[in-house]
Amino acid sequence: MRKSYHDIKAHVMERIRRDDWSPGTHLPGEVALAEEFGCARATVNRAMRELAAEGVLERKRKAGTRVRPVLKRKAEFQFAHIRDEIEAAGETYRYVLVDQERVAAPGWLRALMEIPKGRPVLHICAMHYAGTRAFQLEDRWFNIDAMPPAAHTCFAANIPDQWLSQNVPFADEDVVLFASNATQQVADYLNMSPGDAVFVVDRTAMMDGRKLSYARVFHHRDYRMTSSL
Amino acid sequence: MRKSYHDIKAHVMERIRRDDWSPGTHLPGEVALAEEFGCARATVNRAMRELAAEGVLERKRKAGTRVRPVLKRKAEFQFAHIRDEIEAAGETYRYVLVDQERVAAPGWLRALMEIPKGRPVLHICAMHYAGTRAFQLEDRWFNIDAMPPAAHTCFAANIPDQWLSQNVPFADEDVVLFASNATQQVADYLNMSPGDAVFVVDRTAMMDGRKLSYARVFHHRDYRMTSSL
DNA sequence: TAGTGGTCTAGACCACCCC
DNA sequence: GGGTGGTCTAGACCACTAA
């Protein structure tokens, strides 16, 4: 059986694992490896390129390929639509719009979203339930100038995150996670006591450098966010 | 200038963005695209393969290539070594070992780490400071059977996460994030008040399916975890 | 079973950048 | 300057799977 690029990746990983090639080590060039494995250089190239993309190797022209001295540790978290997330867990999803109003952007939001003074934003407040449990309180702001259609949308009938991804499918998103103590208001919505810990997710959607939407999402105390790799 | 796979990726993204190919649309086959772009099929293949890996396209043999109906949203969080993270922020890192002891694994940990009854674990408790600020309290358990060298290591002189990544550079890691209220003990270490919200990270390091280490890390209330994509 | 993507090859040229 | 990875090609065979 001929060597595939999968085999080569596995082989290289194996040699790194058994410390044959320890971190920092300089690997043979592609030509040499191709000869050793008895395959074309392109095949070796693909294997090495993917290992580099995965953070295992470091490649530089002329300098060659080295094992990364310190492994890049990263964790990936998927953000499915809230409805899908809840239904995937086998629970019944329920959505309630608490409030929707068009207002002039308050100062803190203007700074955060880079909105000029006096410009309007759409403020949404909504609850997401899993079965009978209060799951998530969403406090979202749309920049109407950057997304005019938001102004004419009824968010009692549209779940904000679904609507957003349908209308700007390729927006980038910044995510910030932190813990905070529930205020009286947040506690009421989430059926907790004031001061209870809440898991907060701040999400800023951007497109071509413009900030389209900012959402602060409060999760119930029991929420666990789990890595997907 | 000839078309590179970069050009093709950009072109395809462009057509998707302008809704020329809307989500769910079936794209032409590789041969057709190669002809359209005036390049080899391998070049088109690479472009499409990468777009699929990035979550934009969905490819199936015989069925062809489609634009993902719902864009996969994911955020990536880097876990640098705690020392690097603090020093990268321009602050002085300080590490203090609070406690290190070899004990029989308690029941809850045995279940969590799949350790047989009566087997020993190494329990580490340590503090990480950024300048004068208490930054992180680490509560870590090593499965000694799975990692014998841990038993003979002095963790006053070795920072656990660095030591771990040096000794098992290619361990996989599960990460779970949540918020909780500080106990009296945690509050004391982190210089907070009991009940204050803490951001908790549970990290389980694994190798070939064996659980090597479990760490529960408590971050100070002000901590923010930021996505790196 | 036929069509589509998956992969490999042998050769070529090029861009980058360390020495 | 020269060696290394980056990329492209034209052609080929294969594996999977929808029809």
Side-chain angles (χ1 to χ4, degrees):
Chain A
M1 176 174 165
R2 229 179 28 259
K3 296 283 189 190
S4 78
Y5 79 97
H6 288 289
D7 301 326
I8 299 180
K9 284 177 70 173
H11 184 102
V12 170
M13 283 301 285
E14 192 48 39
R15 288 181 75 164
I16 292 175
R17 242 186 265 270
R18 60 165 108 264
D19 217 37
D20 194 359
W21 288 330
S22 46
T25 303
H26 202 99
L27 267 59
E30 295 189 346
V31 188
L33 286 176
E35 198 166 339
E36 175 184 339
F37 292 124
C39 65
R41 189 191 141 218
T43 306
V44 173
N45 179 277
R46 174 158 182 195
M48 307 298 269
R49 181 160 31 85
E50 292 198 355
L51 285 175
E54 290 165 20
V56 175
L57 303 178
E58 201 171 27
R59 320 190 76 198
K60 262 190 284 198
R61 289 169 145 115
K62 167 67 178 177
T65 301
R66 307 186 325 132
V67 181
R68 267 224 152 74
V70 134
L71 186 58
K72 217 197 297 171
R73 283 164 185 281
K74 54 188 173 187
E76 218 175 78
F77 297 86
Q78 303 260 354
F79 288 84
H81 288 143
I82 173 69
R83 166 176 216 138
D84 298 336
E85 187 176 332
I86 288 173
E87 291 182 343
E91 301 199 81
T92 306
Y93 174 74
R94 191 160 63 90
Y95 166 75
V96 176
L97 176 67
V98 175
D99 190 44
Q100 161 171 10
E101 60 174 342
R102 183 189 172 121
V103 294
W108 63 270
L109 186 67
R110 292 214 321 275
L112 193 67
M113 295 186 73
E114 298 162 8
I115 295 175
K117 186 154 187 170
R119 300 306 306 158
V121 291
L122 186 70
H123 182 207
I124 307 273
C125 185
M127 276 297 303
H128 305 267
Y129 297 88
T132 58
R133 290 186 301 116
F135 187 81
Q136 182 184 96
L137 171 62
E138 174 177 6
D139 192 51
R140 185 181 289 270
W141 306 78
F142 284 108
N143 179 348
I144 294 183
D145 290 335
M147 310 196 58
H152 313 107
T153 303
C154 168
F155 284 99
N158 291 278
I159 304 171
D161 70 339
Q162 279 189 5
W163 182 87
L164 184 65
S165 77
Q166 273 164 21
N167 282 270
V168 254
F170 291 93
D172 294 318
E173 207 165 32
D174 266 0
V175 180
V176 178
L177 312 176
F178 61 97
S180 113
N181 293 97
T183 60
Q184 177 72 55
Q185 191 203 20
V186 169
D188 284 347
Y189 280 117
L190 291 178
N191 197 26
M192 300 162 60
S193 305
D196 278 359
V198 283
F199 187 87
V200 187
V201 181
D202 271 9
R203 307 174 61 166
T204 307
M206 291 163 300
M207 181 75 145
D208 304 324
R210 288 191 83 180
K211 303 200 162 84
L212 307 179
S213 160
Y214 164 71
R216 172 158 287 187
V217 175
F218 301 88
H219 287 84
H220 189 277
R221 171 188 36 226
D222 303 337
Y223 182 70
R224 297 289 182 273
M225 181 169 267
T226 307
S227 68
S228 52
L229 258 182
Chain B
M1 177 174 164
R2 230 179 27 259
K3 297 281 189 193
S4 77
Y5 78 99
H6 287 291
D7 301 325
I8 298 179
K9 283 177 70 173
H11 183 103
V12 171
M13 282 301 284
E14 191 48 38
R15 289 181 76 163
I16 292 175
R17 242 186 264 271
R18 60 163 110 264
D19 218 36
D20 193 1
W21 287 331
S22 46
T25 304
H26 203 98
L27 269 58
E30 296 189 345
V31 187
L33 286 175
E35 198 166 339
E36 176 184 339
F37 291 124
C39 65
R41 188 190 142 220
T43 306
V44 173
N45 179 276
R46 175 158 181 194
M48 307 298 270
R49 180 159 33 86
E50 291 197 354
L51 284 176
E54 290 165 21
V56 176
L57 303 178
E58 201 172 28
R59 320 191 77 199
K60 261 189 284 195
R61 289 168 146 119
K62 167 69 178 178
T65 300
R66 307 186 324 133
V67 182
R68 267 224 152 75
V70 138
L71 186 58
K72 216 198 297 173
R73 284 164 185 280
K74 54 188 172 187
E76 216 176 79
F77 296 85
Q78 302 261 355
F79 288 84
H81 288 144
I82 174 68
R83 165 175 218 139
D84 298 335
E85 187 175 333
I86 288 173
E87 291 181 344
E91 301 198 82
T92 307
Y93 174 74
R94 191 160 62 88
Y95 167 75
V96 176
L97 176 67
V98 174
D99 190 44
Q100 162 172 10
E101 59 173 345
R102 182 189 174 123
V103 295
W108 63 271
L109 186 67
R110 292 213 322 274
L112 194 66
M113 295 186 72
E114 298 162 9
I115 296 176
K117 186 155 189 171
R119 300 308 305 160
V121 291
L122 187 69
H123 181 207
I124 307 273
C125 184
M127 276 297 303
H128 306 266
Y129 296 89
T132 57
R133 290 185 302 114
F135 187 81
Q136 181 185 97
L137 170 62
E138 175 178 5
D139 192 52
R140 186 181 288 271
W141 306 77
F142 285 108
N143 179 349
I144 293 183
D145 290 334
M147 312 195 56
H152 314 106
T153 303
C154 167
F155 285 98
N158 291 278
I159 304 172
D161 69 340
Q162 279 190 5
W163 182 87
L164 183 65
S165 77
Q166 275 164 21
N167 281 269
V168 256
F170 291 92
D172 294 318
E173 207 166 30
D174 266 359
V175 179
V176 178
L177 312 176
F178 62 97
S180 114
N181 293 97
T183 60
Q184 177 72 56
Q185 190 203 21
V186 169
D188 285 346
Y189 279 116
L190 291 179
N191 196 27
M192 299 162 61
S193 304
D196 279 359
V198 284
F199 187 87
V200 187
V201 182
D202 271 8
R203 306 173 61 167
T204 307
M206 291 162 300
M207 181 77 146
D208 304 323
R210 288 191 83 179
K211 302 198 162 84
L212 308 179
S213 160
Y214 164 71
R216 171 159 287 188
V217 176
F218 301 89
H219 287 83
H220 188 277
R221 168 186 42 221
D222 303 338
Y223 182 70
R224 296 288 182 274
M225 181 168 267
T226 307
S227 68
S228 51
L229 258 183

